[in-house]
Amino acid sequence: MKFVVAVAAIAVSLSLAPLPADGSHARRLPYPRLAFPLVISGSQYTPVAWADIAGWKDDDHLAAFRTFRASCKAISARAGPPGDKALSGSLREPCRAAKAAGIADNTRARAFFQEHFEPLEISRLGEDSGFVTGYYEPIIDGSRTRTDVYNVPVYRRPSNLFVRGYNQDSVGLPNKGEVFRKIGRRKLVPYYDRAQIEDGAIAGRGLEICWLKDQTDLLFAQIQGSARVRLQDGSTIRINYDAHNGYPYTAVGRVLIDRGIIPKDQMSMQKIREWMEQNPDGAKEVRRQNRSYIFFREVQLSDKDEAVGAQGVPLTPGRSIAVDKSLHVYGTPFFIEGELPIESAQSKTPFRRLMIAQDTGSAITGPARADLYFGAGADAGRVSGRLRHNMRFVMLVPKSLDPVARGRRMPLPDPRPSARIARLFSQTLPLKDTKSAPVAAMPSPAASPQADATATVPLPAARPVVTPDLEQRRHHRRQGRGG
């Protein structure tokens, strides 16, 4: 208690002490609140040297720089204050530098990243690597009208689908969270699941964008988030993710592995397709284990244009990745290093590339988790379909978030009290015999008015307990009854 009072007294005295005329120790209290330089939930990260990143010098940094500049267009166009993610707003300065830089060769592109970023190796807490899969844009045969061959509808977002916090005119609703449909004027219930939609729950409402041959084609388009639908007249419809029905994604590949249908070391999208073609009844049941359902919108892109990611910019094959958008910011560069079966299912091709986060997906969760985009068509699909590998992740963090540089701007504590103030509050070591310790160790009332607060104030005596004689009480009762 004495220590608390002494500290409070020192604080009061310091607040009353005059400040130096030059204002060298002037400070506004409380201290300014500076956010921690980098906080990514559930992750661990370690600074690394550029020279310690395997394959860094050998990469095509010019290709990565061009992909990064594409992200910068969306970053610069975004209005409003930064979000609450670790890198929110911090990419604007590197983007301004990228826009001003006339970089046209690999050496200068590598120097740009080294000048404006710091490399941090990142992984999930307790793990020593990250995990990658691949995705692509399927090219699927389809029709604008329903026929005997093309009878599987591709639906646009229904008008009775609601997501809290978004209006129905919003483009590209979130791919996670609850989704509702309205019954009557006020009642909201979960939206239809995959089985209900496949059985016709929203059929006949004019929601069909086009028609496909089978449900497996639609499932793969939904997993990838976009597709090119090739019509019989040679034209192409481009469709992109627009909304989902609110149910968590369940990987049909995981269902087939758990049931022992396809061994884990043989799992690929090609194996899934082959099994579903050979087992149509079983395919229907397995497919419906994934209650999640994706709705699309038609986008005006030519055959030469790449699919547009969640950031709103066209993806770059071999340079764009999908990340967990709840943890990361679009535009963040990641150097991903390891071995992947690119050339064949058995090959171990070195993969050492600087990739840019430009997309997301409901199955992409965690700080070191990425889906690598490989482009459109069957070849891209074959490569993407066999990727399920651990890789090393190095995240490039803007230097404005460098912990060392940021530490230089942290406010220092106030200087120690002057000798005059220190003498007013003598600091004595506690005596070994606490019973005989003098109370006078505190400042006397004459020396410090605040000492009055520590004086012992006598309490009033407790109210006595009165027990009147039993006979006396009986006498009073008789008098009260008049006799």
Side-chain angles (χ1 to χ4, degrees):
M1 178 65 182
K2 289 189 292 184
F3 173 76
V4 174
V5 175
V7 170
I10 291 173
V12 172
S13 298
L14 289 176
S15 66
L16 296 176
L19 294 174
D22 62 359
S24 59
H25 298 310
R27 187 178 299 279
R28 294 181 180 179
L29 297 177
Y31 295 147
R33 295 180 61 186
L34 295 183
F36 284 105
L38 188 66
V39 178
I40 300 178
S41 177
S43 69
Q44 58 191 23
Y45 29 88
T46 305
V48 294
W50 296 108
D52 294 334
I53 303 174
W56 169 255
K57 289 185 178 181
D58 301 324
D59 191 22
D60 184 354
H61 293 88
L62 183 58
F65 176 78
R66 289 169 176 164
T67 306
F68 175 71
R69 282 194 60 170
S71 280
C72 285
K73 294 178 181 178
I75 292 172
S76 301
R78 187 176 59 196
D84 58 355
K85 297 188 186 73
L87 270 67
S88 294
S90 65
L91 288 171
R92 290 179 179 175
E93 180 56 37
C95 280
R96 282 192 287 268
K99 183 178 180 181
I103 294 177
D105 62 81
N106 194 57
T107 301
R108 292 187 63 192
R110 181 171 67 248
F112 169 85
F113 287 112
Q114 293 182 180
E115 179 182 352
H116 292 91
F117 293 90
E118 293 288 348
L120 295 179
E121 185 168 0
I122 184 170
S123 62
R124 191 187 296 272
L125 195 62
E127 299 179 1
D128 58 1
S129 63
F131 186 74
V132 302
T133 49
Y135 74 117
Y136 73 110
E137 188 180 21
I139 300 177
I140 306 169
D141 290 333
S143 172
R144 280 286 191 185
T145 58
R146 180 172 184 171
T147 67
D148 292 340
V149 175
Y150 300 102
N151 52 24
V152 175
V154 176
Y155 287 124
R156 61 175 52 87
R157 186 201 315 174
S159 60
N160 65 342
L161 185 149
F162 296 89
V163 179
R164 286 197 176 102
Y166 293 83
N167 61 52
Q168 289 179 289
D169 296 329
S170 299
V171 176
L173 295 180
N175 58 6
K176 296 178 183 178
E178 295 181 313
V179 176
F180 303 93
R181 60 185 175 91
K182 185 181 289 187
I183 297 180
R185 288 188 174 182
R186 297 183 178 180
K187 186 176 181 180
L188 294 177
V189 298
Y191 207 78
Y192 301 113
D193 68 3
R194 176 176 295 275
Q196 293 170 311
I197 295 172
E198 286 186 1
D199 289 341
I202 59 175
R205 299 184 185 179
L207 300 173
E208 297 85 0
I209 296 175
C210 58
W211 303 81
L212 307 180
K213 287 183 179 180
D214 57 58
Q215 291 286 355
T216 303
D217 284 342
L218 177 60
L219 175 66
F220 276 61
Q222 291 177 327
I223 292 173
Q224 304 307 315
S226 65
R228 305 184 186 203
V229 181
R230 187 169 47 201
L231 304 179
Q232 291 172 301
D233 62 2
S235 62
T236 301
I237 300 173
R238 303 292 295 275
I239 55 175
N240 262 35
Y241 169 92
D242 193 38
H244 80 126
N245 64 340
Y247 292 90
Y249 171 78
T250 300
V252 294
R254 171 54 57 186
V255 175
L256 295 173
I257 290 173
D258 292 344
R259 294 183 179 183
I261 296 173
I262 299 177
K264 183 177 180 179
D265 59 352
Q266 299 179 21
M267 176 55 64
S268 68
M269 286 187 287
Q270 288 71 34
K271 288 289 185 180
I272 295 174
R273 181 178 286 277
E274 290 172 5
W275 183 86
M276 287 188 166
E277 289 175 353
Q278 297 167 8
N279 301 273
D281 293 336
K284 179 179 179 179
E285 189 272 332
V286 169
R287 188 175 62 246
R288 293 184 176 201
Q289 297 300 308
N290 176 28
R291 302 179 70 188
S292 175
Y293 195 92
I294 301 300
F295 301 100
F296 292 95
R297 68 178 184 273
E298 187 174 352
V299 292
Q300 302 303 315
L301 295 173
S302 71
D303 289 344
K304 297 180 180 179
D305 295 325
E306 290 293 337
V308 175
Q311 192 185 14
V313 300
L315 301 174
T316 302
R319 292 292 169 181
S320 297
I321 58 173
V323 297
D324 187 342
K325 70 174 183 177
S326 69
L327 300 177
H328 295 300
V329 174
Y330 295 137
T332 303
F334 288 84
F335 192 83
I336 298 178
E337 183 264 320
E339 295 179 337
L340 293 175
I342 302 293
E343 298 174 356
S344 67
Q346 291 76 34
S347 67
K348 294 183 179 181
T349 309
F351 188 93
R352 298 167 176 176
R353 289 192 185 185
L354 185 57
M355 314 288 284
I356 310 299
Q358 296 179 327
D359 205 358
T360 191
S362 58
I364 312 303
T365 59
R369 174 72 174 91
D371 220 5
L372 314 182
Y373 178 69
F374 284 92
D379 290 340
R382 278 188 286 272
V383 174
S384 303
R386 51 183 181 244
L387 300 192
R388 293 180 58 85
H389 291 71
N390 295 323
M391 302 284 279
R392 183 191 187 194
F393 278 61
V394 176
M395 181 172 64
L396 271 56
V397 178
K399 285 194 173 180
S400 61
L401 294 184
D402 177 26
V404 176
R406 197 172 180 98
R408 297 191 183 102
R409 301 197 301 272
M410 294 294 286
L412 297 175
D414 286 312
R416 293 183 62 182
S418 66
R420 179 177 63 84
I421 296 296
R423 280 196 298 270
L424 292 176
F425 302 96
S426 59
Q427 310 233 346
T428 59
L429 294 174
L431 300 178
K432 294 182 179 180
D433 184 4
T434 56
K435 293 182 180 179
S436 61
V439 179
M442 292 296 297
S444 65
S448 174
Q450 286 80 13
D452 289 340
T454 66
T456 304
V457 180
L459 297 176
R463 185 175 181 180
V465 179
V466 180
T467 307
D469 182 74
L470 181 60
E471 186 60 34
Q472 185 179 1
R473 283 183 291 175
R474 289 175 179 171
H475 173 73
H476 286 310
R477 284 199 296 269
R478 284 197 299 267
Q479 285 182 335
R481 291 196 297 267

